[in-house]
Amino acid sequence: MERRLKPAVFLLCLLPLAWLAWRAWSGDLGVNPVETLNRYLGDWALRFLLIALAVTPVRKVTGWAAVMRLRRMLGLYAFFYVCLHLASYVGIDLFFDWSALAKDIVKRNYITLGMLAFLLLVPLAVTSTNAMIRRLGGRRWRRLHMLVYPIGMLGVAHYWMMVKADIREPMLYGAILAVLLGFRVLDRVRRRSGAAHAAAPGR
Ligand code: HEM
């Protein structure tokens, strides 16, 4: 059962893309297909980022160790959907007009934050292989990958700044991110104080 978990989740993660392809094929992307496409991919990029961040808390709360085997794949899926989101913007929306992209990055704050989030995700994707983990050493690798929290914040801020009226959805993503980050911070504090007690049992 656990052997099949990873391939099953791998296929499951492709479903949003398959659904998008189906909608595009059947001409069901609404009056502004380019915008629908770009926003849909942005939504899934953020969702996968949050799902990947939820893996460690799920393991700690439920004790389900096998879930950890999904973490890297889910993080890479977040990167994959971000790449498609960026590609749809640069390729389909801007027709590879690089000077328009440069102008957008400078002038539109939400694009600046999105681009920053993307650039910070690149080193995490590049260092996701076992060879890179060995090369960096576990401690440095873990430190580097803590960047995923600021990246999540940038992703939420990017979305929040983009919406004009209804902020409920970015607010929900922000709340989920805050809970996940809060969990990790509390867990770290608890472990540190546990270690301090163990080191000084007489106190
Ligand atoms: C970690 C990186 C990123 C994440 C998580 C992300 C996520 C999102 C989300 C959730 C949305 C809103 C979708 C909706 O309305 O339902 C969005 C919109 C958008 N994003 Fe991103 N994004 C990222 C990076 C980028 C980058 C690098 C660019 C371009 C340089 C970009 C350009 C856009 C544009 C143009 C929109 C739509 C704006 C509009 O239709 O008015 N994003 N993104």
Side-chain angles (χ1 to χ4, degrees):
M1 157 77 185
E2 297 212 325
R3 246 178 342 118
R4 296 210 193 115
L5 180 70
K6 213 167 165 182
V9 174
F10 179 86
L11 291 176
L12 213 61
C13 293
L14 286 173
L15 280 185
L17 193 59
W19 177 238
L20 182 66
W22 170 254
R23 283 177 62 192
W25 169 259
S26 47
D28 182 29
L29 288 180
V31 284
N32 191 341
V34 176
E35 187 185 277
T36 306
L37 185 90
N38 176 252
R39 289 188 171 193
Y40 179 91
L41 291 166
D43 280 339
W44 278 102
L46 193 51
R47 283 172 197 157
F48 275 112
L49 208 59
L50 295 177
I51 293 170
L53 280 176
V55 168
T56 304
V58 165
R59 203 248 307 161
K60 297 215 170 196
V61 170
T62 63
W64 183 33
V67 73
M68 290 305 278
R69 283 198 263 140
L70 304 175
R71 192 171 60 171
R72 173 181 3 196
M73 188 174 74
L74 290 166
L76 285 172
Y77 259 115
F79 184 64
F80 172 62
Y81 277 93
V82 171
C83 288
L84 292 179
H85 174 59
L86 175 61
S88 77
Y89 181 58
V90 176
I92 306 174
D93 210 343
L94 301 183
F95 283 110
F96 297 104
D97 183 343
W98 301 106
S99 69
L101 175 67
K103 257 187 230 150
D104 270 357
I105 293 172
V106 175
K107 285 202 178 141
R108 297 160 86 180
N109 290 339
Y110 79 90
I111 301 270
T112 318
L113 296 191
M115 204 63 203
L116 188 58
F118 171 74
L119 291 177
L120 290 173
L121 261 180
V122 173
L124 302 200
V126 170
T127 57
S128 68
T129 60
N130 289 339
M132 281 307 267
I133 299 173
R134 270 197 305 275
R135 217 164 127 184
L136 282 174
R139 205 185 157 96
R140 273 167 72 202
W141 185 88
R142 270 195 301 279
R143 267 206 196 140
L144 176 68
H145 281 250
M146 279 292 140
L147 268 180
V148 70
Y149 288 98
I151 291 170
M153 289 176 207
L154 287 168
V156 170
H158 164 71
Y159 186 6
W160 201 307
M161 289 168 84
M162 186 216 102
V163 292
K164 281 155 192 108
D166 190 355
I167 57 160
R168 276 177 301 179
E169 215 176 315
M171 219 163 112
L172 174 66
Y173 289 129
I176 293 170
L177 181 65
V179 168
L180 294 172
L181 181 58
F183 182 92
R184 291 304 291 271
V185 170
L186 283 179
D187 185 56
R188 180 165 280 220
V189 170
R190 232 188 27 216
R191 272 190 298 144
R192 281 214 174 144
S193 68
H197 277 294
R203 278 201 320 185

